Structures are given as C-alpha cells and as structure tokens.
C-alpha cells in the first residue's frame, strides 16, 4: 500500500489544500546504516534518477566480471522521504499521476537501457485517449478570435511556427547542432560558432522571424517556447531550442512521439524502485530525510571527504557524487570553496519555474480535448483519458508566474485558469510546486543565453574528489530523465575507475 510523502498537494472544494501525496516512492524504514566509523568508497547525494544510477552502478562494480568480488561500498543520502527527486508517481484512487518527468522514448538511450534492464520497455501506455482524432483543440491568442479546430490543424500550425523558429541555418540545425550530445568541441562545428549562437535569446529569434507567421502562429509559438523553457522570452536560450530540435532528429515530425506520447504503464516510480531495490540488494547503505549541510575534503589528493547532514551526523568517503539540483547547490557549504566560475554559475541558476497541475473533471467531452490560451497563468491543457470513477484526467502547464500565482496558496486561481482554457467542472487538483520546493527550487533546468558555452564545462567538471551529476547540466537530454541517468552513470564510471580493483567478497576464501 502506498505511503504518504510530505511532498505535493491536493485540493478539493470540501477540504481545500491538503499537503502530502500517496506514492510508492516513500522508503521505509528510512535508514539502513552500518557503523559510523565506515569510510565509504563513495557517498552519493540524492536519490533521483542520477543518484540511483550512480549508487546502483557502483554497488555492482566488479560483480559482472567475477563472483569473487563485491561492489563498491556506497552510502546513498537523500533529503526527501522518497526516491525519484523531481520525478515521482502519485497513486490516487487507482490512477497514476506523474508529478514531474513523465514521458519515455527509445530515442533516449540511457533511459531505454534502464527500461529494458527492468523489463519495462514494452509495458507502455499512450498519453490521451486512443480516439484523440475524434476530439478538438481550442486556441485563444492575442489579436485573433478564439476558436475551435482539429488536432491536426493545430498541430500543423504549431509545427510550421516551430520550424521557422529553429531553422537558423537553413537546414533545421543540422549544420549548427549535428551532434546534440556534444554541443561544444565536436568534430563538425567549431566552438566559436556555437558560442555566437548561444548568445541569442528566444526573444531575439522571435523578433527576426515573427513577420513570417500569422497572428495565431505567433501566439502558438511564444506560448510553446514558454511552455518548454518555463521562463520568459528574454531569459530563455535560443540554443536550448536548437539543441532540443536536434534531439528530435532535426524534424518536428517527431515532436509528439519523442516528447509527449509514451508513458510507463506502471509509472516512473516503479522504474526508480527497481533501480533502488537492485542497489539495496547489492548492499548499499542509505539514509532518507537526511538533507546535506556541508561537504569538506582534505588537501591530500586522496584525502577523506566528510559529508555532514541535518539530523544524521557526518559520513566519510573516498569519493562523493553530488546530484543536488543546480538551483539548490548554493545552500551547501563546500570546503575548500567551489571555483569562482562554478559559484557564479550556481548563483545565476536556471530559469525554469514551470507550473504543472493535474485536474479531475466531470466533463466527458474533454477526454479528447487539448487547448491553449496565451497569455495566462496556465498556457496549455491536455486531456489524458478517463479515470476509474468515470471522470476525465487533465494536465495543464504554465511558465514562470511566481509573482502572481502560487498554486498551494491560490487554488482558486488554478481553478479559474483551467476554466479560462476551457469551461469545466473541477473535482480535484493534484500538483507539486517545484519552485517552492526547497530541494528543487525550479523545474527541469533551462538556461539563459550564453550560459551553456560559458558554464557547461565547469558544471560537469569535478571539484577535487567531488563529482557532480545532474540532468541540470547533462550533455544531451538536459532537463530530462535521460540526462539524469547519463550523468549518474558517467560519474559512477569515473569514480569506479579511480578507486582501483573492487574489494574481494567476504564470502570467498583466499586461494593463496
């Protein structure tokens, strides 16, 4: 039976806002620790996908090649009471709601490998109703009369506007970003060219091409860009859009199939659980509800690192892998201090403060509805099938509206914003506000103009014997589950390579 995390909120007319959501992601008991005198091979900070990949891979290190060796000694520390980080699944009345990262695709290599590994690669469901083509799309943008159209017509308009926007080189980014997993220092494009384009904001590009679009196409495009970046047009990087299009194989034909179509039938938390239980079976120690306070390392090349937590004391390790999100790193005390450049990147942070809210509604006609309204506190709404009780599930997204809209404080504004997208009878809202979450301070990372070329290398680099692994600065699928898995796997590989041969298993007798 699912337990209740302290995270997230529900709202119903009769109860108002209630904190805490039921999810299988909660870990009980919260601690499994060895002796306080242990010096771990590695402490992994964070039990999101990056941390789970790192901890699991280190726990398995060496065991694939010889039954006489056990994996690295690993401690997994997590500030929350659950696994998953910014991705977890809520189980409410027999329906699964994804609070953060949601969609899967075989185009995401690290993610697909995990799905195959745990037998979840074919157990998928699609977003929306199977009969979505029978539904309709509503559009409300400035300068044009609100209207209803088919999904096909709306999709074609959006694709045209997106294609014009990202086609900066006349080849839809193929000559500028041919290798989206190697944006800098790749064999095809010189770094100076990338750095030049990285200076542009989405607003800069929109100003160049808006006269090629109709009023409706302009509204669709701007709202889509804000939907993706979770910021505003001036602070959202054009390069991030170019990179995202490159990851779509440079074709908007793949937009829905790659980004928005397929979900795990059992939910993201089930995949995270299988990774965690795999690591646990290999002997990792762990401590949840243990936020990290400071990370200190000695001056010696292989000196111990001390990780101090709020509540569980301090732990020692030979290496540390931190998966702490970019916007939260400023809350951690590092000794010696981080480099000036890394600290500067942390102080700037990323711009994504998106809103994502699930709604249960009584309107059967909305099962096959999608729609948008710009401007608005919520920009897009998507119908996502029937609930077990016969109601319809909707999910809506907005950009950075923190100054005007905090859903847990202003649920009536959320209800009003849903109804501005389309009139509806809302029975319940379910959401997690990542911007007010002290362990996230924002959604998936979207960067400012110039940020990638100036800071990505530094953010990916080590600090002494501390390695940094997060989707927030991944090579390819930054701001996605795949990026988190990429970074966790690469960090574990680096740590394992440095530490030398795995330790002999206690169960194996010496042959000497």
């Amino acid at each position: 039976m699912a337990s209740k995390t302290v995270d997230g909120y529900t709202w119903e007319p009769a109860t108002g806002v209630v904190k805490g959501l039921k999810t299988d992601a909660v870990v009980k008991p919260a601690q499994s620790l060895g002796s306080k005198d242990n010096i771990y091979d590695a402490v992994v900070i964070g039990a999101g996908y990056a941390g789970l990949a790192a901890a699991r891979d280190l726990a398995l290190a060496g065991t694939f090649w010889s039954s006489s060796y056990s994996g690295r000694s690993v401690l997994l520390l997590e500030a929350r009471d659950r696994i998953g980080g910014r991705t977890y699944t809520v189980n409410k009345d027999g329906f699964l709601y994804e609070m953060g990262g949601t969609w899967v695709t075989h185009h995401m290599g690290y993610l697909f490998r995990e799905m195959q590994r745990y037998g979840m690669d074919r157990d998928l469901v699609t977003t929306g109703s199977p009969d979505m083509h029978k539904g309709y799309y509503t559009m409300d943008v400035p300068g044009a009369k609100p209207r209803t159209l088919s999904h096909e017509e709306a999709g074609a308009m959006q694709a045209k506007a997106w294609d014009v926007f990202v086609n900066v080189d006349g080849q839809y980014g193929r000559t500028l970003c041919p290798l989206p997993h190697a944006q800098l220092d790749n064999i095809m494009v010189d770094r100076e060219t990338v750095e030049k384009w990285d200076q542009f904001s989405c607003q800069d590009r929109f100003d160049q091409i808006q006269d090629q679009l109709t009023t409706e196409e302009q509204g669709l495009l701007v709202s889509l860009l804000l939907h993706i970046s979770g910021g505003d047009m001036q602070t959202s990087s054009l390069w991030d859009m170019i990179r995202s299009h490159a990851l779509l194989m440079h074709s908007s034909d793949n937009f829905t199939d790659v980004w928005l179509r397929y979900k795990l039938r059992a939910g993201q938390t089930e995949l995270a659980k299988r990774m965690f239980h795999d690591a646990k079976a290999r002997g990792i120690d762990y401590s949840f509800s243990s936020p990290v306070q400071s990370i200190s390392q000695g001056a010696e090349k292989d000196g111990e690192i001390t990780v101090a937590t709020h509540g569980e004391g301090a732990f020692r390790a030979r290496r540390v892998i931190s998966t702490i999100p970019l916007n939260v790193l400023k809350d951690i005390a590092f000794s010696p201090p981080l480099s000036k450049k890394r600290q500067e990147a942390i102080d700037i942070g990323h711009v994504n403060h998106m809103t994502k809210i699930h709604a249960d509604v009584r309107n059967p006609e909305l099962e096959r509805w999608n729609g948008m309204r710009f401007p608005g506190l919520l920009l897009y709404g998507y119908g996502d099938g029937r609930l077990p009780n016969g109601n319809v599930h909707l999910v809506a997204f907005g950009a950075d509206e923190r100054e005007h809209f905090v859903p847990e404080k202003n649920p009536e504004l959320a209800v009003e914003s849903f109804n501005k997208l389309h009139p509806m009878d809302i029975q319940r809202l379910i959401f997690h506000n990542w911007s007010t979450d002290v362990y996230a301070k924002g959604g998936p990372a979207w960067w400012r103009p110039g940020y990638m070329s100036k800071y990505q290398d530094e953010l990916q680099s080590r600090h002494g014997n501390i390695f940094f692994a997060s989707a927030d600065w991944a090579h390819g699928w930054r701001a996605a589950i795949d990026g988190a898995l990429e970074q966790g796997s690469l960090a574990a590989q680096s740590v394992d390579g440095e530490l030398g041969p795995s330790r002999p298993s206690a169960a194996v007798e010496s042959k000497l």
Side-chain angles (χ1 to χ4, degrees):
M1 183 177 179
S3 299
K4 198 172 188 180
T5 177
V6 299
D7 288 341
Y9 303 90
T10 58
W11 171 88
E12 296 180 14
T15 63
V17 174
V18 177
K19 196 173 191 310
L21 297 169
K22 286 188 176 181
T23 174
D24 289 329
V26 175
V27 174
K28 291 184 178 181
Q31 281 84 32
S32 177
L33 296 171
S35 168
K36 283 287 187 180
D37 295 328
N38 282 352
I39 300 177
Y40 292 95
D41 288 329
V43 168
V44 177
I45 303 171
Y49 273 124
L52 292 173
R56 190 271 318 277
D57 287 359
L58 286 171
L60 288 169
T63 61
F64 286 119
W65 313 113
S66 173
S67 60
S68 64
Y69 282 86
S70 60
R72 302 294 180 186
S73 60
V74 179
L75 170 63
L76 179 64
L77 293 175
E78 170 55 53
R80 305 181 190 278
D81 58 6
R82 59 172 180 80
I83 57 174
R86 286 172 284 182
T87 298
Y88 71 106
T89 310
V90 168
N91 191 330
K92 186 74 172 174
D93 297 335
F95 191 80
L96 301 183
Y97 302 82
E98 299 291 357
M99 293 296 102
T102 300
W103 291 281
V104 301
T105 169
H106 68 275
H107 294 288
M108 296 179 175
Y110 285 91
L111 173 56
F112 195 66
R113 181 187 67 174
E114 299 297 342
M115 291 161 57
Q116 285 187 315
R117 182 175 193 154
Y118 297 108
M120 299 178 70
D121 54 307
R122 301 190 182 190
D123 193 16
L124 308 176
V125 294
T126 56
T127 300
S129 166
D131 296 325
M132 207 69 185
H133 62 282
K134 298 179 181 179
Y136 61 97
Y137 191 100
T138 58
M139 180 171 56
D140 185 354
V141 301
K145 185 178 179 180
R147 67 184 179 109
T148 298
L149 55 164
S150 70
H151 292 298
E152 290 76 15
E153 185 179 359
M157 291 175 64
Q158 192 173 76
K160 176 199 168 183
W162 172 262
D163 285 346
V164 169
F165 183 82
V166 297
N167 191 20
V168 295
D169 59 354
Q171 296 293 322
Y172 299 96
R174 287 181 177 86
T175 62
L176 189 58
C177 189
L179 299 167
H181 288 266
Q183 299 165 67
L184 298 167
D185 302 320
N186 67 70
I187 63 171
M188 301 297 292
V189 186
D190 65 87
R191 185 175 182 124
E192 185 177 334
T193 298
V194 175
E195 289 180 347
K196 181 190 78 171
W197 280 100
D198 188 35
Q199 305 306 310
F200 286 83
S201 71
C202 286
Q203 186 64 55
D204 294 331
R205 178 60 178 167
F206 180 75
D207 291 342
Q208 292 176 345
I209 56 89
Q210 63 177 315
D211 61 350
Q212 301 176 44
L213 305 174
T214 68
T215 298
E216 289 184 327
E217 290 164 350
Q218 290 177 24
L220 278 171
L221 175 62
V222 173
S223 60
L224 176 64
L225 297 174
L226 299 181
H227 180 358
I228 295 171
S229 77
D232 62 50
M233 291 288 284
Q234 289 77 22
T235 61
S236 298
S237 161
L238 168 64
W239 180 264
D240 269 3
M241 300 297 173
I242 296 171
R243 171 188 59 87
S244 297
H245 188 68
L247 289 165
L248 297 174
M249 290 67 70
H250 302 95
S251 173
S252 59
D253 290 345
N254 303 315
F255 199 103
T256 298
D257 282 345
V258 172
W259 277 357
L260 298 169
R261 189 176 301 281
Y262 301 105
K263 300 187 293 186
L264 297 174
R265 183 185 303 275
Q268 289 291 342
T269 285
E270 181 59 31
L271 178 57
K273 279 175 58 182
R274 295 184 190 188
M275 295 178 68
F276 176 66
H277 289 308
D278 199 356
K280 190 167 69 167
R282 302 289 179 167
I284 69 163
D285 286 355
Y286 58 87
S287 183
F288 286 75
S289 300
S290 299
V292 167
Q293 182 177 11
S294 64
I295 307 173
S296 305
Q297 54 186 325
E300 303 83 6
K301 180 179 179 181
D302 286 314
E304 294 176 11
I305 306 172
T306 300
V307 180
T309 66
H310 294 279
E312 291 300 322
F315 302 92
R316 297 180 294 163
R318 299 168 67 193
R319 298 291 187 273
V320 165
I321 297 176
S322 166
T323 72
I324 298 167
L326 175 60
N327 285 357
V328 183
L329 277 169
K330 65 179 66 176
D331 297 338
I332 311 300
F334 288 89
S335 179
L338 300 175
S339 70
K340 181 179 179 182
K341 191 171 187 178
R342 192 192 303 267
Q343 192 61 58
E344 184 177 274
I346 292 168
D347 290 340
I348 294 171
H350 72 75
V351 304
N352 191 331
H353 290 279
M354 62 174 288
T355 303
K356 177 181 181 181
I357 304 178
H358 297 268
D360 297 352
V361 305
R362 280 185 175 167
N363 310 76
E365 71 276 11
L366 297 184
E367 180 181 358
R368 295 183 289 272
W369 163 81
N370 290 344
M372 60 80 59
R373 182 179 187 271
F374 173 74
L377 299 180
L378 296 176
L379 298 172
Y380 282 83
Y382 302 98
D384 194 15
R386 288 292 184 102
L387 300 167
N389 65 3
N391 286 343
V392 170
H393 170 231
L394 304 178
V395 60
F397 294 87
D400 185 359
E401 298 289 349
R402 290 171 293 164
E403 293 184 8
H404 318 288
F405 180 41
V406 180
E408 62 269 34
K409 294 182 178 179
N410 313 115
E412 67 285 348
L413 276 180
V415 172
E416 179 182 316
S417 297
F418 267 99
N419 274 276
K420 286 182 177 179
L421 287 169
H422 192 294
M424 62 185 71
D425 182 5
I426 296 178
Q427 301 299 296
R428 177 165 60 198
L429 301 176
I430 301 177
F431 59 95
H432 186 123
N433 189 339
W434 298 107
S435 293
T436 57
D437 180 332
V438 297
Y439 302 128
K441 296 188 176 180
W446 205 268
W447 288 352
R448 296 169 183 269
Y451 193 96
M452 186 277 296
S453 54
K454 185 173 183 179
Y455 297 118
Q456 177 167 280
D457 290 342
E458 186 71 16
L459 289 169
Q460 291 177 347
S461 70
R462 64 193 292 171
H463 175 61
N465 288 325
I466 303 169
F467 294 76
F468 294 88
S470 170
D472 288 356
W473 48 80
H475 288 291
W477 286 100
R478 176 159 46 78
I481 294 167
D482 191 79
L485 293 167
E486 168 211 292
Q487 287 287 295
S489 298
L490 292 177
Q493 180 178 311
S494 296
V495 168
D496 183 51
E498 285 191 5
L499 291 179
S502 300
R503 64 192 189 281
S505 171
V508 177
E509 295 182 3
S510 172
K511 295 181 179 179
L512 296 178

